[in-house]
Amino acid sequence: MNTPSAPEPGAWKRATRRLLDLLYPSACTVCGAGLRNGDSLCATCRDDLPRLAEPFCESCGEMFPGNISGPFACPNCSDLKFAFEFARPAMPRDERTLDLIHRLKYNREIHLAPELGNLARETFADPRLEPALSGGWPLVPVPLHRKRLRHRHFNQAEEISRALATHTGLPVLAALRRVRPTETQTLLSRKQRMANLRGAFAVTNRSRSWIETSPAGAVLVDDVLTTGSTVHECARTLRRAGFRRIFVVTVMRG
């Protein structure tokens, strides 16, 4: 008598996706076209979103028009000393990308996190990130204060980090916590933002053993890089705790 063979690996996941497609048909978040397999962006819209392209600032990833040969720092970064080595956004500012990020953060559309993590994955084509890949550095999401976390119910940087981990194989490490709430940064200058964030972060107990055994470096992950003040303070906290090198990856340059 023949024994039924076990389902092949991944078969249950594919079957579940097909069932969900029937029960809850998905649509492209940008153009509204019908989709399958739980995707949130169609291939056309995903490919049409602008990517960061040279020339761009080697410190913050700000794109510049024209022909600039070789690495350069933009005027905003030329007189600053960040605690991180460089920030690498996947994409320049674009209203469609910003809408995806806002829908994740404010509308709680967590299904968009895998799409944003997939976009952030493209930053690892930058050869400067190779030490993180070869060294198995942890992905460290920028944390929310517990009050904001209670209101939002999730941390968008952590959700993007988890999605990014599936593409890179790097572990996610909750190495930071926000120890005090801070004023909204929207209307503050860079100098005011840095003052507003000073002392706002601390390393978590679970990260200390990691730093003791693997202090080579970490990759900070966030949704948007604007002035760099938040990731600078996070990087400063991580370096004081013992990490030697800090890189920054974000979905978009604000």
Side-chain angles (χ1 to χ4, degrees), residues 87-102:
R88 180 53 163 91
M91 320 182 80
R93 182 182 174 90
D94 179 79
E95 292 306 312
R96 292 164 296 176
T97 308
L98 186 61
D99 182 59
L100 293 174
I101 292 170
H102 282 176

Side-chain angles (χ1 to χ4, degrees), residues 157-235:
E158 185 174 346
E159 297 298 327
I160 292 169
S161 296
R162 287 175 182 167
L164 188 55
T166 65
H167 296 291
T168 62
L170 297 178
V172 178
L173 178 66
L176 291 169
R177 58 190 178 92
R178 198 179 285 243
V179 296
R180 64 174 177 82
T182 53
E183 296 178 23
T184 181
Q185 303 255 96
T186 307
L187 300 178
L188 301 181
S189 66
R190 173 179 278 167
K191 184 177 180 180
Q192 290 170 327
R193 288 180 182 219
M194 289 187 169
N196 183 42
L197 289 162
R198 195 164 294 124
F201 302 98
V203 293
T204 59
N205 291 331
R206 75 175 64 177
S207 68
R208 295 188 185 279
S209 59
W210 184 295
I211 296 171
E212 289 174 3
T213 57
S214 303
V219 180
L220 273 169
V221 180
D222 208 359
D223 51 355
V224 179
L225 179 93
T226 307
T227 64
S229 53
T230 299
V231 287
H232 164 74
E233 189 62 28
C234 287

